[in-house]
């Protein structure tokens, strides 16, 4: 093979590789990352939310003051059975206590969401290169309805804050988000729940150490 032909063949092969490398680099995180941005809840966001699944157990968040610091719920068990669905851009949280009491919270998806990504400097590396970021998707809106054990606490306007929590590189995937947190607040309501995502990948919590940042 002539030298010129070999050179052109090599150059062509590199050209095929560059798009893949460039795409991978788009997911790279940087040391010191700290970003908070308000984004439109677009089609891609909706598609990912449809694939995310909640675990069947939810836990009531109880602070030091117990039920004295809460409104709308009283003398409930700490752990609940949860059936969650997301369809037509609406979440339905169906909670049920071991004693058989139940209630549904209906939360319409807002037109905007907040994305939070930060390097927490724990020395762990992400698969896309760079540090293993902590990340959140935050949704805030008004509760449409509350039934059963929530009925008396939901009067308009009552707001909700739903947070998906996870770890990963700069790109977001379903398996990145391993936990959730939900706050309900209004004139007659002040309570929170948390739990795990069954669609999250537990391996996201145990990754290799990140290479040391190069000094300039």
């Amino acid at each position: 093979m002539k030298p010129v032909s070999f050179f052109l063949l090599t150059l062509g092969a590199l050209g095929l590789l560059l798009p893949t490398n460039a795409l991978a680099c788009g997911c790279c995180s940087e040391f010191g990352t700290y970003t908070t941005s308000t984004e439109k809840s677009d089609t891609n966001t909706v598609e990912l939310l449809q694939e995310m699944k909640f675990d069947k157990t939810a836990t009531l968040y109880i602070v030091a003051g117990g039920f004295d610091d809460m409104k709308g719920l009283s003398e409930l068990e700490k752990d609940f059975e949860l059936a969650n669905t997301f369809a037509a851009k609406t979440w339905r949280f169906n909670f049920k206590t071991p004693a058989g009491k139940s209630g549904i919270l209906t939360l319409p998806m807002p037109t905007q969401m907040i994305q939070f990504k930060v390097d927490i400097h724990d020395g762990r590396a992400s698969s896309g290169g760079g540090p293993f970021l902590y990340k959140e998707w935050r949704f805030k809106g008004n509760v449409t309805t509350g039934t059963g054990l929530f009925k008396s606490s939901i009067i308009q306007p009552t707001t909700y804050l739903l947070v998906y929590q996870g770890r990963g590189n700069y790109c977001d995937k379903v398996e990145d988000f391993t936990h959730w947190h939900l706050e309900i607040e209004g004139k007659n309501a002040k309570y929170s729940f948390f739990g795990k995502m069954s669609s999250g990948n537990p391996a996201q919590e145990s990754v290799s150490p990140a290479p040391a940042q190069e000094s300039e």
Side-chain angles (χ1 to χ4, degrees):
M1 182 180 294
K2 294 182 179 180
V4 174
S5 299
F6 178 78
F7 172 77
L8 292 175
L9 182 61
T10 304
L11 185 61
L14 288 174
L16 292 174
L17 293 174
L18 285 176
T20 302
N21 293 338
L23 180 62
C25 192
C27 293
C28 295
S29 54
E30 303 294 338
F31 287 98
T33 294
Y34 189 100
T35 63
T36 303
S37 60
T38 301
E39 309 285 345
K40 182 179 179 180
S41 300
D42 57 16
T43 302
N44 181 63
T45 302
V46 173
E47 290 177 351
L48 289 176
L49 289 173
Q50 290 172 336
E51 295 180 36
M52 295 181 187
K53 306 300 179 185
F54 287 68
D55 191 70
K56 295 181 179 180
T57 300
T59 302
L60 180 67
Y61 174 61
I62 303 177
V63 297
F67 284 94
D68 291 338
D69 290 333
M70 299 166 59
K71 291 190 297 183
L73 299 178
S74 61
E75 299 180 0
L76 294 177
E77 291 84 351
K78 182 179 179 181
D79 295 314
F80 294 77
E81 292 181 10
L82 174 65
N84 173 275
T85 60
F86 177 76
K89 297 184 178 181
T90 301
W91 290 278
R92 284 171 57 86
F93 283 81
N94 189 342
F95 294 88
K96 184 177 181 180
T97 72
K101 295 181 179 179
S102 63
I104 298 174
L105 293 170
T106 304
L107 318 176
M109 180 182 179
T111 57
Q112 293 184 320
M113 61 181 287
I114 294 176
Q115 292 194 35
F116 174 68
K117 297 176 181 178
V118 60
D119 172 14
I120 60 174
H121 310 287
D122 61 353
R124 295 195 284 177
S126 71
S127 59
F132 198 48
L133 302 179
Y134 170 75
K135 60 174 71 176
E136 292 182 352
W137 278 10
R138 304 171 186 165
F139 300 89
K140 187 171 184 179
N142 291 324
V143 180
T144 302
T145 59
T147 68
L149 58 89
F150 302 112
K151 185 175 182 179
S152 62
S153 66
I154 304 300
I155 61 173
Q156 300 302 329
T158 297
T159 63
Y160 75 86
L161 173 65
L162 175 60
V163 183
Y164 290 78
Q165 302 169 296
R167 301 291 300 271
N169 56 32
Y170 210 82
C171 296
D172 295 326
K173 304 185 296 295
V174 170
E175 56 267 30
D176 290 348
F177 296 92
T178 56
H179 293 79
W180 61 271
H181 177 84
L182 174 64
E183 297 179 3
I184 306 295
E185 188 166 353
K187 184 178 180 180
N188 292 344
K190 186 180 179 182
Y191 45 84
S192 303
F193 298 92
F194 64 94
K196 294 183 178 181
M197 303 294 298
S198 60
S199 56
N201 183 2
Q204 292 293 83
E205 301 175 3
S206 57
V207 294
S208 59
Q213 183 178 8
E214 295 182 2
S215 58
E216 296 182 358

